[in-house]
Amino acid sequence: MTQPGFRSVVAKGVAVVALPAMLAACGSSESTSNVLTAGQAPCPRITILADGADLTQYVAGAPRDLTTMVLDARIAGFDAVCDYASRDRRALDVRVTPRFQVERGPAARGGSLDLPWFAAVSDAGDTDVIERQAFTARAAMASNQTRINTNGQAARLRLPIGDGVSAGNYVVRISFQLTPDQLAQNRSRGPR
């Protein structure tokens, strides 16, 4: 149960930082809001992996060109809410909701497009991935739409804190779930 005054909201700010080798040596973007007032729950550092921020899908087995593109999407940002999980402040509940920009390609069939993504929590030194949750967002488009903005479902994470462990001991990263070919394509074309 959320206590009034125990809530912190971090949203919409993004800056570039380096990504650890542990998560495929990608770059990342992170929220820059750390301003807290007394009683607010702090959020861990939350980032968007730069190499995983774009997803372009083509018809399987076809050459990669505009005519075979099914979708082109990017993680445009995220909203995050952090609350203490209890009065004793021994756990932190973190909800991260990605925001997507999606374009339907000429080869898309049907009214919805699936966007596989994940949220991963690591320790501050990036030596261990503590938790990873995978999701599939669905971008529903009318037949006359080619572009939409949509949100994914919230990733809900509970992080233990106290006894010298704080929100700063964790890093939360969000990314599209990419195939090796999609990751190579993102790296070769660079950030957009």
Side-chain angles (χ1 to χ4, degrees):
M1 177 183 232
T2 302
Q3 301 289 325
F6 292 110
R7 180 173 220 174
S8 171
V9 177
V10 177
K12 302 177 185 174
V14 184
V16 175
V17 298
L19 173 72
M22 169 183 228
L23 292 173
C26 302
S28 65
S29 301
E30 91 176 69
S31 167
T32 58
S33 175
N34 327 353
V35 179
L36 299 175
T37 60
Q40 285 185 315
C43 279
R45 188 169 45 138
I46 302 171
T47 66
I48 299 170
L49 299 180
D51 286 350
D54 296 302
L55 171 65
T56 305
Q57 294 178 346
Y58 296 93
V59 173
R64 290 183 181 173
D65 63 28
L66 181 60
T67 64
T68 62
M69 186 177 79
V70 174
L71 72 86
D72 187 45
R74 66 198 37 82
I75 301 173
F78 60 86
D79 297 308
V81 178
C82 300
D83 293 312
Y84 288 111
S86 63
R87 282 190 180 271
D88 66 3
R89 298 182 180 195
R90 307 284 294 166
L92 190 63
D93 284 336
V94 179
R95 287 186 320 239
V96 181
T97 306
R99 289 181 275 125
F100 303 109
Q101 295 174 341
V102 184
E103 181 177 353
R104 180 196 343 245
R109 300 291 177 254
S112 64
L113 302 167
D114 289 340
L115 309 170
W117 67 279
F118 68 88
V121 180
S122 67
D123 63 355
D126 288 324
T127 56
D128 291 311
V129 173
I130 299 164
E131 182 178 358
R132 185 180 186 282
Q133 295 179 7
F135 303 91
T136 300
R138 181 155 286 170
M141 295 182 157
S143 61
N144 63 344
Q145 285 182 304
T146 57
R147 292 185 179 146
I148 64 165
N149 295 322
T150 190
N151 293 337
Q153 73 182 81
R156 298 176 184 273
L157 310 163
R158 179 160 288 181
L159 307 176
I161 57 174
D163 296 329
V165 177
S166 69
N169 290 90
Y170 300 102
V171 179
V172 177
R173 292 189 171 84
I174 56 177
S175 172
F176 282 116
Q177 181 64 53
L178 303 174
T179 65
D181 287 341
Q182 290 166 337
L183 180 59
Q185 178 184 2
N186 284 357
R187 288 179 174 168
S188 70
R189 75 176 166 207
R192 296 193 272 174

